[in-house]
Each structure stands twice: as C-alpha cells, then as structure tokens.
Amino acid sequence: MSPIPVRASLAGMCRWMAWFGQPAQLSILLFDSPHGIVDQSLHARMGAEPTNGDGFGLGWYDAHDLPGVYHSVAPAWSDPNLRELAAHVESPLFLAHVRAAIGSPVQATNCHPFRHGRWLFVHNGYVERFAELRRDLMLLVRPDLFAAVQGSTDTEVLFHVALTLGLEDDPLGAMEQTIGTIEDLAERKRIPEPVQGSFGISDGETLWAVRYASSGRARSLFVSADVDTIRRLHPDNARFSALGADDRLVVSEPFSDLPGVWEPVPESTALTVRRGGVCEHSAFAPRRRPTIWDQRARDSSDWLRMAGDKLLGPD
Amino acid sequence: MSPIPVRASLAGMCRWMAWFGQPAQLSILLFDSPHGIVDQSLHARMGAEPTNGDGFGLGWYDAHDLPGVYHSVAPAWSDPNLRELAAHVESPLFLAHVRAAIGSPVQATNCHPFRHGRWLFVHNGYVERFAELRRDLMLLVRPDLFAAVQGSTDTEVLFHVALTLGLEDDPLGAMEQTIGTIEDLAERKRIPEPVQGSFGISDGETLWAVRYASSGRARSLFVSADVDTIRRLHPDNARFSALGADDRLVVSEPFSDLPGVWEPVPESTALTVRRGGVCEHSAFAPRRRPTIWDQRARDSSDWLRMAGDKLLGPD
Amino acid sequence: MSPIPVRASLAGMCRWMAWFGQPAQLSILLFDSPHGIVDQSLHARMGAEPTNGDGFGLGWYDAHDLPGVYHSVAPAWSDPNLRELAAHVESPLFLAHVRAAIGSPVQATNCHPFRHGRWLFVHNGYVERFAELRRDLMLLVRPDLFAAVQGSTDTEVLFHVALTLGLEDDPLGAMEQTIGTIEDLAERKRIPEPVQGSFGISDGETLWAVRYASSGRARSLFVSADVDTIRRLHPDNARFSALGADDRLVVSEPFSDLPGVWEPVPESTALTVRRGGVCEHSAFAPRRRPTIWDQRARDSSDWLRMAGDKLLGPD
Amino acid sequence: MSPIPVRASLAGMCRWMAWFGQPAQLSILLFDSPHGIVDQSLHARMGAEPTNGDGFGLGWYDAHDLPGVYHSVAPAWSDPNLRELAAHVESPLFLAHVRAAIGSPVQATNCHPFRHGRWLFVHNGYVERFAELRRDLMLLVRPDLFAAVQGSTDTEVLFHVALTLGLEDDPLGAMEQTIGTIEDLAERKRIPEPVQGSFGISDGETLWAVRYASSGRARSLFVSADVDTIRRLHPDNARFSALGADDRLVVSEPFSDLPGVWEPVPESTALTVRRGGVCEHSAFAPRRRPTIWDQRARDSSDWLRMAGDKLLGPD
C-alpha cells in the first residue's frame, strides 16, 4: 500500500495570526475580518497551496493561570464549535493557526499552538526531511520533557528542543540555538535548507515572532503598522476606528490588501511585541554552540554504555 | 489546568480477538456473535472497566501483499463504517481491537493493530509508568524505525522495540527479549510490575499470542477448543455447524459462556497457531540479554559524544 | 446489511445537569464533583446502561445575547477541548448533557442542548417508536421552523413542536400540550407508553425541569436542597462552603451519595427555578387540545389539495 | 451569533465519479489517476471553488446483496481509512463523491452516496433556497420512507422524493417528475433557477447519469469515450492498455487533459450505461404531472383534518 502522499508542493503552507492589545472578541479577528485566518484556511493567496484544511488551533490568555487551547481536526471553515467559542471568548492576547499537513496525520495532537505551562508556540513552515532528523532531535529533548511530546510533527519536537535550550528564560536565544542545532545536524546528514518558517511564541506577557529560512526566501510574515499610521492612510475606514494605540497583529498573510496597514517583517528577523503596542525588531541568527549538549551526551552515553554492559554482561 | 485524568482503575481494559481459519465474513465474528468484540466495547465483563470506547481497530489479510487496517476514534458500537466494512470484507486471518485509553489521546495513530510491513500487533494491558520509560525505550528502537512511531502509546513503542530485536525472524524470542528489557529498565527505575498484558501478533501465515504479567495475574486470554470437542459438548448448537477443523479463535474475553468452548491460556504462555488449526503452547519467559544493545549504545554514545564535542568545540 | 443495532435496553440513558446560581467555573461541576456528569458518561448508576458515550453537549449563558453551545461526538470523558472549555468558561446558568444514542447517528446535530434563539433544551428519555411518529410530528412543526431541524433525534423534533405550541411564551404549558399531542398521536397508532423522560429548559432567566412518563416510572430527576439544609446535614464538608443561597443544581442523577443533599423530583412534576435560588414545584399534566392544529391542518391540506389539483390537472 | 457562513460562491462544487466495467481496484481510480477524484477534493479546476473538503463518500457493488457504503467527514485527501479501503476493495461498479458543503453540516449522514436497498445516488449541484422548500418536499416523501431521511441535505430529500415517484421502476422517469415537481413548487414560491446539477444513480445492474439545470449552464459531466477511440488517439499511453471494451467512466470533471478521452454530456441529457460498455444518450425533460400527489394530498389532508377535528374537539 502506498503511504499517505505528500502534497505536490512540499511548501507546508500553514497560516497563523497573533493578536496582542485590548481584549478582543475572537470572532472579530477570526471570522469578521476580510481575508482573515478562517478565510485563509480555504483561500490562502501567498503560497502554492490555497487550502489549509488539516486542522485548526487556537490558544488564548485570560484571567486564568494557563492559556486555553482549542484543537480541531475539522477544517476551520466548517467547525461549528469554533464559531461558538470565537463568539464567546475575549482575550487580549491569542494565537490562531490553520494547518496544511505535509505527510503527518491530521490529529489534535498535531495541531498548533503547542503549549507548555504558560507558553504557546505556532509555526508555519517545516524542518526538511524531518523523518531523518526526528530521532536525533528527540534525543536532545530534556528527558523529563520527552513524554510531553504527544504528536508527530516537526514543530512539536522543535518546540521541545527550544524548551530544553532555555526558551522560558530567553525565547529568541533559545530559538537561535535550536535552529542552529538543527542546521548543524542537517549539515552532517547532507540535508540542504533544513529550516523554513515563521514562528509565533508567547508567555502571555510578551509576543515574539521569528521569520527565518536556512536559505532562500522565508515564509512571509507581517506586523500591523502603528495605529496613527493606519488612520492617516485610511482616514475613512470604519474598521480601524476601534483600533487602539496598544493593538498589534502579527500574521503570516495579511488580512486585507489595504496599502500601508501591513509591514513585512524582513528575513532573519525577530519581533518582540510588548504590552502597549511596543514592537521591536532584532536580527535573528542561528547559533551552533549549545553547551547543554555535552551534559546530555554524557548522560545518555553513560546510560547506554551501562545498559549495554549490563545487558550483555556475563551471559 | 488539570491534565486529562487517568481512569480510576489503571487497568487498561482493552479487548481483542483474532480469527484464523476458513475465510470468514468479518461481521459474523464482530457483530453477530453473542458477547462478541463489539458488544465487549460496551459491556466487557472480565475487568474493572466495562467500557472500551476509546477507538477501534481492525487488521485483515487478503489476497493483497499487505494487510488492510481500519482505525477509528469512534466507539466500535456506534461506527457505521465499521458495520459496512465488516459486511463486505472476508478474511481467513484478522485481528480486531477495542481500546480503553489510559491517559493517552484518542486518535487513530493510537489505535491497534499496529502494522509494519505484513506484521500486525495488538495488546491488551500496559507498560506501568510508561511516561518514565518512554525515552529510554524509544532510544532503543532501531534508528530507521524511529520515525515510524506515529502515536503515543506504550504498545506502539513496545512493538517497535520488538521489531528492533528481531520480531520478524523470531516473534516469540523477540517478545521475550523486549519484555525482559522493559523489566530490566523498570527495575533500575524501581518501577514494580512493569509489564501486563496479552499480545496478538501475525505475519499473515501464523498467529502468535502471549499471556504474561511481570507479577500477579495476567490479562485473561482464551483460545477456542478444537472443533470436535466443541461439537461433542454442544451437539445441538447450530452456530457451531459451520465451524471447520481449521478454525481457531483467540480472544481476550470469551464471546459466550458455553462451557468447554473456550480454553484459558495459562499464565506466562505463548500460543502458536498455524494453518490447519494447529495450536501449540509454549512457555514464555522474558530474557534480559539482547546483544544488540551494545551496538546501539556504541552508535548513540559515539554520535552524542561527537555532537557534544563539536557543538561545544572551541567557542 | 443489518441496520445499526438498538441497545439491548431501549432505555435511552442519557444524563444531564443544570446549574443556576453564582457564576461558576464549569470544570468544578463537570469534572471536579464526585460522580459528576462527565464521570456519569462512563459510569452512570441509575439505569440499565452505564455508558453515555455517544456525544456530549454544553450550553451556557454569559454576557452575550445568545447562549454558547459546544457539541462533540467524542465521549465526554475523552474530549480534551471540553476540559479546556470547562477550565476557561464561567457561567451563572448552564446545561450539560451526555448522550447514549438509541439508534440515531452519533453526530453533532444530534447532541443536546438544542438551541433556538436564547432557548436551550435537553432531554433524557425517548419518544417510543419515534420512526413511526416522526413524519406526523414534523408536519406539525411551524413551517418557518421546519428547516431548523438539522438532526434526526426525537428530542429535536419534540423541541420544535413545543416551540410551535408556544414554548417561548409559556414553557410548561407548551410542554404539556406537546406531550399531550404525542400521546394522542401514539394512541391512534396504538403505541403504548410513548413519552418517557426528564427535560431541562431555559431562556437564560429561568430554568424549568420536567419529570414525566406516559406510564410506569419516569426517568429520575433531582434538585439540590437549599443551602441551609445541606450545611446542617454536612457541617464539616468543605465542598459546600462555597455554595450560596442562590445556587441550585438540577440533575438526572445525583453527583454523590450524601444523604439529604439531593431531593427527588416527584413523578409528573415540573420545577421552576428562578434567580435567587427560588424553586417551585407544580403538577405536570399533558393536555390534548392544541387549538393551533386546526390552522395547521387547514394550511397544509389546502396546499396539498391545491398542489394535487394543479399537478394532476388536465393531463 | 452569526450562522455558519455560506461559501462566497453558492455554486456547490461537489465532484463525483462512477466506474462501470471490469472489476477494478478502487485505489487505481481514486488515487492513482492523474487529477482523479481525490486530487479534485483539493484542486478541482472546473468551478469557482477548488476545495471539496467537507466529507467524502464511496459506494460499491460486490458479491453481496447490498452495496457497501463508506462515509467520512474528513477531507478525502487526508483520510487514511479511505486509502486502506481503496487498496483492498475491488468492484465492477462504484461511485465516489467529494463534498463541498453549502451551509449544511459536515456529518456522515450528509455524505453521498445515499443508499436505499440496492440503490445508490450522488449529486453535484443544489436545490436553490432549499430551506424554503424542504418542508413541502419532505411532505411529499412516501410516509414509510420519511424516517429514512437522516441528514439535512437537499440531495437526500430529492432522492427520497424520486423514490416516492418510482425511481426503482423507472429511474429517469422518476427523476424527470422529481425535478418537474421541484420546479413547480419553486415557481409558486417565486424561486428562480431551482435545480442545478449532475446526478449519478445505480442499482448495481445499470448506471444512470443526468445533466440538467433549470436555467443557465448545468454542472459539467463527462463520459469516457469507447476504448477503440481512446487507443487510436493515444496509442502509446500505457495507462489505457488495461482498459477493456466494457469499461466506462462517468465523471463530473475529467481526470486528465488528454484530448478525445472524455466526451462532454450535453445539457438536459441522461446517460444509461449498461453492462458491456453500452452507453445510450436520451433527452432529459422535467415533467410536472405526478399523479401520485393526489393520493398523498388526500391522505395527508384527511389525517390533518381529522387530527384537527379531534384535537380541537368540544373543548
């Protein structure tokens, strides 16, 4: 039997969006925006593949300690529960993701955002020839995090490597080390152009976004302009009247085509969006020297050698 | 947020059955037998937990090279597709499994039977405190098999360790080594009673079944008596008139309560059922000396040391 | 092919609960109560059938105009989204329902609560031999409501007949007429004991509950005692300290076995629970004289006669 | 709350195919043909909407009395069970359908093919403003067929009206009366262009297909040319070497772009494909005089009048 086929185009064309600002009804951004994220599940424009129908995910922060997460294997466009949820939940900071699977199963555990404690993580893109890298990457995940990997996507493993490398203390630094490590492994296995994507990360206080590709053009990424700019460009557009100075949207594909509203994030760049609408750009450069590996290597080889000794033993 | 709760009883009470004999309409065994496997999905009797509603699976051999597999997250009792399939598929050798999840997600990739090439694998039981053992066990899976593990169950990992240890050449020997290895790891982590279960294995030519628990009583397992015995005991039962001398059923719970029809498989015992209804019993004893580990340990520690060296390098 | 089989016991053993009082975290009542509704999905005690695994539904009122509804075909015990939702939604008035299907498909449109505008409706029980009554009952639904019936359950049709008969103006009166009408139709078709069940109804301001069976014992129904009584009976139980004077629970099966906490609702009785914890009992007696039928009959027969005349016409 | 939105284009762009000829492995036609039906679920070309991701269905005839049916709410492109089924089932006559929902829920009971006894029915298209016609059409369904309507699509109701009008005796005649009746009702309600679509019908012995629109261009429909023609046009194409003189394909959209292989079915035309590859064209013209209505009108009005009389009675 032939395995489930990979899409003609390997370009995993997921789409995601993040809102950070005043508490907003989710439905306004998910459903009521022209060419919003749910519309993009059916009609994405900026990629070879217009359909993102392999599941959906939503993560939102509210008054509770942990963010809520909703994952569905139904296409976003046809899930009645998503409409209900979006009509009843408000949040000042949330991420949404529509998935176009590249070979891996359509199941809730493969839907973004992935969550660890207060952290949420979304990704549009891929790790090239992930099947060949999966074992090595899983081996590098902190042993006590290993069992938390429940699905089979590249993104979830990448997230847990980043957690291992200190995402909770320094998200952008950990991402630089994570991607550097993947590129290092890939080089040893002669896998070209291993990492491609845009990433969204949050702990509920800050929103980070990364645009990066090992080579070639990275997945698109946009941030909304500041409100003054938007209003000056489109003084008569009623949609922008409710927008406040603190509101920022980060999206992998613009919601509409209004000029000046969406600023492209440059390649190899990270965004840090803080409360109050502050949005900082910084260079993003993978780093290949995670000192933690030494310890992991010693731990694992010790155990394996010991296990081997013992198991082999005097037969 | 609290994680998905484990069932009050940790006794993962899946149920499975295997048919080997004349080509049989699946529906006769799945639906039309008193207290058959689908009825057991709702009303299992031989365990603390009567409900096996966390998915269903079917694997059948036919004229094609590879066995067919049907996995559903719906309870077996309510899945219309299963009824259709069962009414239209005939097979001389098939396995069916109803799942009661213990913590792991209800998704198709967690449904039995698991398949590798022509091999099918089902399990009723569990690996105790699997989350603590998962990483070590995954590490021992042959690297080229690692990416084939798509779900998050103990059974799928156990199956791939057994494949690593030679299941395709010597299924019962590989199972003895696999379970021995798990018991060895568990001992080092002070996990008592690590393995519990009955297992069903086939390559389409032979059917193997194992009943074993590291300590205490193992999950129940039964094999149908030979036809002559059955007919002598129940000469007037019309159901048994179609049964041939070559037909054998292996079940984790009897389909009906007719005395003498079902022979309990003793503890720590393996069955080998061959074409023609031949059914051999053999002792099943875990073994703790898989010589393959040495090579795996060397491979992995070499790589990790090298990676560590390289990654640490001269900063 | 045999149709999907009806459960051995025809007793459709759904379970439901309603909360009306201070705004409450849903998870506390759904998951954290001993023998709460989610536990009842797996282990119901008060009926022939312990499993209610054929879908789940939730309806809650909040600051928005319309109540939110969440429907899932997964068993309540295994749906991760339900746990998330319950952990993040608070409501002063909500209904939850776990379903045990009797023949009709497991699909979201068959999950309770059913909704019409601000109205929610749940039911534990059945209309006997519904297939024989479905056409007549659908015919009596107000034509402009006809297309709103999306699923195939008896409950949804019964709800729309009740809406036709004035549920929005006089819920208990409309229910008396609805059940009276069903009994009338059933009598003409010689269907004995046609209606069985407990019903929960709300418009967000008031909660009504009905316990009734055409003959024999009706489905169980309980209401929580007033807080003073509960505290006097169980002065040391910490669970009851947060309970306020305004809080009432109506359940088809008690959450725990503490004596005095749950008062059985008598047969043929309706409850009216108002803000402030006020709970009134009234007799419930089906009535067989819905004057609206005359108009419906005239409308429909006129149309049909006209259609027939026209279609037959001069051939 | 806003209802589930209708697609921008109301043109319900389902796709279907039918095979009639030598017993064929389903997977060859579903998966292995260039631009086959599963590919069309993601990349349909001949309509405004390229995605048909709202469920899938398959109906096949084999040695059993009744055809098998498989319905899935997953998009066809991502359903592993469909791949398994297609790899293991052979059939001389089968229909497949990928659905693009127009407002109605994505649930198995809304997936084509619909089945009645040995009859299968698929449809690409719609009944315009169906919500306004649903009650009248359901009223005309033969009372003993009423309860068999399980979903909420226009197609299922249309199929049951056609069964009422004698589909089993004269399929094309019944379809002419059914569509004529819908057009008649629509005219009375001032609904323009009520019926649009292509239809596929079979009883396992014959395959019928209809292309018709009340006005404007009907949905596309094609039939494969006879084998001699195909081979003469494409002598070097290996794919056609296995094709026999008895094999015919009917598709709503061609599988590939080879000239001469696919013959468009003219507007307002019915095909009758018989064993041996015989394919007859006939004109298709709706007829508005179904004499059965008179009886139905009398039955229903009698009952309603009686019910009204009785229910009103002496109050």
Side-chain angles (χ1 to χ4, degrees):
Chain A
M1 179 154 338
S2 50
I4 294 223
V6 168
R7 294 289 180 77
S9 158
L10 251 175
M13 295 305 295
C14 303
R15 287 288 179 273
W16 62 270
M17 62 147 291
W19 167 265
F20 193 7
Q22 54 182 310
Q25 180 87 21
L26 268 53
S27 56
I28 294 171
L29 288 146
L30 297 183
F31 289 97
D32 303 340
S33 299
H35 198 53
I37 190 84
V38 173
D39 183 51
Q40 289 177 24
S41 70
L42 203 51
H43 301 119
R45 296 169 187 166
M46 303 193 73
E49 194 63 77
T51 309
N52 296 280
D54 299 326
F56 179 87
L58 191 62
W60 72 97
Y61 295 91
D62 55 19
H64 294 83
D65 281 349
L66 297 183
V69 170
Y70 175 75
H71 288 153
S72 169
V73 295
W77 69 76
S78 70
D79 182 350
N81 286 325
L82 173 60
R83 299 190 76 84
E84 295 287 321
L85 203 63
H88 286 268
V89 172
E90 288 198 354
S91 169
L93 176 43
F94 67 90
L95 295 104
H97 184 275
V98 292
R99 186 169 177 243
I102 320 174
S104 59
V106 178
Q107 55 191 25
T109 54
N110 283 352
C111 290
H112 309 217
F114 297 98
R115 178 175 61 188
H116 176 80
R118 277 188 63 80
W119 292 79
L120 293 177
F121 193 90
V122 294
H123 175 206
N124 165 22
Y126 55 84
V127 174
E128 179 73 8
R129 289 159 61 183
F130 172 60
E132 298 171 48
L133 296 171
R134 190 180 173 205
R135 181 176 186 272
D136 290 342
L137 292 174
M138 283 295 286
L139 210 69
L140 298 178
V141 168
R142 223 172 62 205
D144 65 294
L145 289 176
F146 192 97
V149 177
Q150 291 279 310
S152 56
T153 59
D154 48 3
T155 304
E156 190 185 17
V157 174
L158 190 154
F159 176 39
H160 284 81
V161 171
L163 285 165
T164 298
L165 291 168
L167 182 90
E168 291 162 287
D169 294 322
D170 174 11
L172 296 179
M175 285 299 288
E176 288 181 328
Q177 290 184 52
T178 297
I179 291 177
T181 301
I182 296 173
E183 291 181 340
D184 188 60
L185 289 179
E187 192 178 296
R188 291 170 52 257
K189 289 181 185 270
R190 301 175 198 278
I191 298 174
E193 313 182 19
V195 180
Q196 166 59 275
S198 66
F199 301 88
I201 308 166
S202 185
D203 63 352
E205 301 295 322
T206 306
L207 171 69
W208 295 270
V210 172
R211 184 182 183 208
Y212 178 77
S214 300
S215 71
R217 288 199 63 188
R219 288 283 176 276
S220 61
L221 190 66
F222 298 82
V223 62
S224 60
D226 66 274
V227 169
D228 286 347
T229 306
I230 292 177
R231 289 207 182 122
R232 202 166 342 114
L233 288 164
H234 305 281
D236 302 327
N237 191 314
R239 295 190 63 78
F240 299 132
S241 61
L243 217 58
D246 296 356
D247 298 337
R248 288 281 183 176
L249 270 160
V250 181
V251 297
S252 50
E253 179 169 330
F255 283 10
S256 66
D257 299 324
L258 301 176
V261 171
W262 299 100
E263 299 175 350
V265 177
E267 306 262 346
S268 301
T269 299
L271 294 183
T272 304
V273 185
R274 297 184 203 284
R275 230 172 266 281
V278 179
C279 178
E280 299 158 8
H281 288 60
S282 55
F284 183 87
R287 283 185 286 152
R288 304 196 177 191
R289 48 205 164 112
T291 56
I292 199 170
W293 290 154
D294 186 44
Q295 186 56 37
R296 178 84 64 257
R298 226 177 303 122
D299 291 353
S300 290
S301 64
D302 281 359
W303 174 77
L304 278 161
R305 210 175 309 110
M306 191 174 60
D309 290 349
K310 180 166 182 192
L311 295 170
L312 271 175
D315 197 9
Chain B
M1 180 157 332
S2 50
I4 295 222
V6 168
R7 295 288 179 79
S9 158
L10 251 176
M13 295 305 295
C14 304
R15 287 288 178 273
W16 62 270
M17 62 146 292
W19 167 265
F20 193 6
Q22 55 183 312
Q25 181 86 21
L26 270 53
S27 55
I28 294 171
L29 288 146
L30 297 182
F31 290 97
D32 303 340
S33 299
H35 198 53
I37 190 84
V38 174
D39 183 51
Q40 290 177 22
S41 70
L42 202 51
H43 301 121
R45 296 170 187 166
M46 303 192 72
E49 193 64 76
T51 309
N52 296 279
D54 299 325
F56 178 86
L58 190 62
W60 72 97
Y61 295 91
D62 56 19
H64 294 83
D65 280 349
L66 297 183
V69 170
Y70 176 74
H71 288 153
S72 170
V73 295
W77 69 76
S78 70
D79 182 351
N81 286 325
L82 174 59
R83 300 190 74 84
E84 295 288 320
L85 203 63
H88 286 268
V89 171
E90 289 198 353
S91 170
L93 176 43
F94 68 91
L95 294 103
H97 184 275
V98 292
R99 185 168 177 244
I102 320 174
S104 59
V106 178
Q107 55 190 26
T109 54
N110 283 352
C111 290
H112 309 217
F114 297 97
R115 177 176 61 188
H116 176 80
R118 279 187 63 79
W119 292 80
L120 294 176
F121 194 89
V122 294
H123 175 205
N124 165 22
Y126 56 84
V127 174
E128 180 72 8
R129 288 158 61 184
F130 174 60
E132 298 170 49
L133 296 171
R134 189 179 173 204
R135 183 178 185 271
D136 291 341
L137 292 175
M138 283 295 286
L139 210 69
L140 298 178
V141 168
R142 223 171 64 205
D144 64 294
L145 289 176
F146 191 98
V149 177
Q150 290 280 311
S152 56
T153 59
D154 48 4
T155 304
E156 190 184 18
V157 175
L158 190 156
F159 176 41
H160 284 82
V161 171
L163 286 165
T164 298
L165 290 169
L167 182 90
E168 291 161 288
D169 295 322
D170 174 11
L172 296 179
M175 285 299 289
E176 288 181 327
Q177 290 184 50
T178 297
I179 290 177
T181 302
I182 296 173
E183 290 181 340
D184 189 60
L185 289 178
E187 191 178 297
R188 291 170 52 258
K189 288 181 185 271
R190 301 174 198 279
I191 298 174
E193 312 181 20
V195 179
Q196 166 58 274
S198 67
F199 300 88
I201 308 166
S202 185
D203 63 352
E205 302 295 323
T206 306
L207 171 69
W208 296 269
V210 171
R211 185 182 182 206
Y212 177 78
S214 300
S215 70
R217 287 199 62 188
R219 288 283 177 277
S220 60
L221 190 65
F222 297 82
V223 62
S224 59
D226 66 275
V227 169
D228 287 348
T229 306
I230 292 177
R231 290 209 182 120
R232 203 167 341 113
L233 288 164
H234 305 282
D236 302 328
N237 191 313
R239 294 189 63 77
F240 299 134
S241 61
L243 216 57
D246 296 356
D247 298 336
R248 288 280 183 177
L249 269 160
V250 181
V251 297
S252 49
E253 178 169 330
F255 283 9
S256 65
D257 298 325
L258 301 176
V261 171
W262 299 100
E263 299 175 351
V265 176
E267 305 263 345
S268 300
T269 299
L271 294 183
T272 304
V273 186
R274 297 184 204 284
R275 229 172 268 281
V278 179
C279 178
E280 299 159 8
H281 288 60
S282 54
F284 183 87
R287 282 184 287 152
R288 304 198 177 192
R289 48 206 164 112
T291 56
I292 199 170
W293 290 153
D294 186 43
Q295 186 56 37
R296 177 83 63 258
R298 225 176 303 122
D299 291 353
S300 290
S301 64
D302 282 359
W303 174 78
L304 278 161
R305 208 177 309 111
M306 191 174 60
D309 290 349
K310 180 166 182 192
L311 296 170
L312 271 174
D315 197 8
Chain C
M1 177 156 336
S2 48
I4 296 222
V6 169
R7 295 288 180 78
S9 158
L10 251 175
M13 295 304 295
C14 303
R15 287 287 178 273
W16 63 270
M17 62 149 289
W19 168 264
F20 192 8
Q22 55 183 311
Q25 181 87 21
L26 270 51
S27 56
I28 294 171
L29 288 148
L30 297 183
F31 290 97
D32 303 342
S33 299
H35 197 54
I37 189 86
V38 173
D39 183 50
Q40 289 176 22
S41 70
L42 202 51
H43 300 120
R45 296 169 187 165
M46 301 192 73
E49 193 63 78
T51 309
N52 295 280
D54 299 325
F56 178 87
L58 191 63
W60 70 98
Y61 295 91
D62 56 19
H64 295 83
D65 280 349
L66 296 183
V69 170
Y70 175 75
H71 289 153
S72 169
V73 294
W77 68 76
S78 70
D79 181 348
N81 286 326
L82 173 60
R83 300 191 74 83
E84 295 288 321
L85 203 65
H88 286 268
V89 171
E90 289 197 352
S91 170
L93 176 41
F94 68 89
L95 295 104
H97 185 275
V98 293
R99 185 169 177 244
I102 320 173
S104 60
V106 178
Q107 56 190 25
T109 53
N110 283 351
C111 290
H112 311 215
F114 296 97
R115 178 175 60 190
H116 176 80
R118 278 187 64 78
W119 291 80
L120 294 176
F121 193 89
V122 295
H123 175 206
N124 166 22
Y126 56 84
V127 175
E128 180 73 6
R129 289 160 60 185
F130 174 60
E132 298 170 49
L133 296 171
R134 190 181 174 204
R135 182 177 185 272
D136 291 341
L137 292 174
M138 283 295 286
L139 210 71
L140 298 179
V141 169
R142 221 171 63 205
D144 64 295
L145 289 176
F146 192 98
V149 178
Q150 290 280 311
S152 56
T153 60
D154 48 3
T155 304
E156 190 185 17
V157 175
L158 190 155
F159 176 40
H160 283 81
V161 171
L163 285 165
T164 298
L165 291 170
L167 182 90
E168 291 162 287
D169 294 321
D170 174 11
L172 296 179
M175 286 298 290
E176 287 181 328
Q177 291 184 50
T178 298
I179 291 176
T181 302
I182 297 173
E183 291 180 340
D184 188 59
L185 289 179
E187 192 178 296
R188 290 170 52 258
K189 289 180 185 272
R190 300 174 199 280
I191 298 175
E193 311 181 21
V195 180
Q196 167 56 275
S198 66
F199 300 87
I201 308 166
S202 185
D203 63 352
E205 301 296 322
T206 305
L207 171 70
W208 296 270
V210 171
R211 184 182 183 207
Y212 177 78
S214 300
S215 70
R217 286 199 62 188
R219 289 282 177 275
S220 60
L221 189 66
F222 298 83
V223 61
S224 59
D226 67 276
V227 170
D228 287 346
T229 305
I230 292 177
R231 289 209 181 119
R232 202 167 341 113
L233 288 163
H234 305 281
D236 303 326
N237 191 314
R239 294 190 62 79
F240 299 132
S241 62
L243 216 57
D246 296 355
D247 299 336
R248 287 280 182 176
L249 270 160
V250 181
V251 296
S252 50
E253 177 168 331
F255 284 9
S256 65
D257 298 325
L258 301 176
V261 171
W262 298 100
E263 298 174 351
V265 176
E267 306 263 345
S268 301
T269 299
L271 294 183
T272 303
V273 186
R274 297 183 202 283
R275 229 172 269 280
V278 179
C279 178
E280 298 158 8
H281 288 59
S282 54
F284 183 88
R287 281 186 288 153
R288 304 196 177 193
R289 47 204 164 114
T291 55
I292 199 168
W293 290 153
D294 186 43
Q295 185 56 39
R296 178 85 61 258
R298 224 175 305 121
D299 290 353
S300 290
S301 64
D302 281 359
W303 174 79
L304 277 160
R305 209 175 311 111
M306 188 175 60
D309 291 349
K310 179 167 182 193
L311 294 171
L312 271 175
D315 197 7
Chain D
M1 178 156 337
S2 49
I4 296 221
V6 169
R7 295 288 179 79
S9 159
L10 251 176
M13 295 305 295
C14 303
R15 287 287 179 273
W16 61 271
M17 62 149 289
W19 167 266
F20 193 7
Q22 56 183 308
Q25 180 86 22
L26 269 52
S27 55
I28 294 171
L29 288 147
L30 297 183
F31 289 97
D32 302 341
S33 299
H35 198 55
I37 190 86
V38 174
D39 183 50
Q40 289 177 21
S41 70
L42 203 50
H43 300 120
R45 295 169 189 166
M46 301 193 74
E49 194 62 76
T51 310
N52 295 280
D54 299 325
F56 178 87
L58 191 63
W60 72 97
Y61 296 91
D62 55 19
H64 294 83
D65 279 350
L66 296 183
V69 169
Y70 175 75
H71 289 153
S72 169
V73 295
W77 68 76
S78 70
D79 181 350
N81 286 326
L82 174 59
R83 300 190 74 83
E84 295 287 323
L85 203 63
H88 286 268
V89 171
E90 289 198 353
S91 170
L93 176 43
F94 68 90
L95 295 103
H97 185 276
V98 292
R99 184 167 177 246
I102 319 173
S104 59
V106 178
Q107 56 191 25
T109 52
N110 283 351
C111 290
H112 310 214
F114 297 97
R115 178 176 60 189
H116 175 81
R118 279 187 63 79
W119 291 80
L120 294 176
F121 193 89
V122 295
H123 175 207
N124 165 22
Y126 55 84
V127 174
E128 181 72 8
R129 290 161 58 187
F130 173 59
E132 299 170 48
L133 296 171
R134 190 181 174 203
R135 181 177 185 273
D136 290 341
L137 291 174
M138 283 295 286
L139 211 69
L140 298 179
V141 169
R142 223 172 62 205
D144 65 295
L145 289 176
F146 192 99
V149 177
Q150 292 279 311
S152 56
T153 60
D154 47 4
T155 304
E156 191 185 17
V157 174
L158 190 155
F159 176 40
H160 283 81
V161 171
L163 285 165
T164 297
L165 291 170
L167 182 90
E168 292 162 287
D169 294 322
D170 173 12
L172 297 179
M175 286 298 289
E176 287 182 327
Q177 291 185 50
T178 298
I179 291 177
T181 301
I182 296 174
E183 290 180 341
D184 188 60
L185 289 179
E187 192 178 295
R188 291 171 51 258
K189 289 180 184 271
R190 300 173 198 278
I191 298 174
E193 311 181 22
V195 180
Q196 167 57 275
S198 67
F199 301 87
I201 308 165
S202 185
D203 63 352
E205 301 295 322
T206 305
L207 170 69
W208 295 269
V210 171
R211 184 182 183 208
Y212 177 77
S214 301
S215 70
R217 287 200 61 188
R219 289 282 178 274
S220 61
L221 189 66
F222 297 83
V223 62
S224 60
D226 67 275
V227 170
D228 287 346
T229 305
I230 292 177
R231 290 209 181 120
R232 202 166 342 111
L233 288 163
H234 305 281
D236 303 327
N237 190 314
R239 295 191 62 80
F240 299 132
S241 61
L243 217 57
D246 296 355
D247 298 337
R248 287 281 183 176
L249 270 160
V250 181
V251 297
S252 50
E253 178 168 332
F255 284 10
S256 65
D257 298 325
L258 301 177
V261 171
W262 299 100
E263 298 174 351
V265 176
E267 306 263 344
S268 300
T269 299
L271 294 183
T272 303
V273 186
R274 299 184 202 282
R275 229 172 268 281
V278 178
C279 178
E280 298 158 7
H281 289 58
S282 55
F284 183 88
R287 280 186 287 153
R288 304 195 176 193
R289 48 204 165 112
T291 54
I292 199 168
W293 290 154
D294 185 44
Q295 184 57 38
R296 177 84 62 257
R298 224 176 305 121
D299 291 353
S300 291
S301 63
D302 281 359
W303 174 77
L304 278 162
R305 208 174 313 109
M306 188 175 61
D309 291 348
K310 176 165 184 193
L311 295 171
L312 272 175
D315 197 9

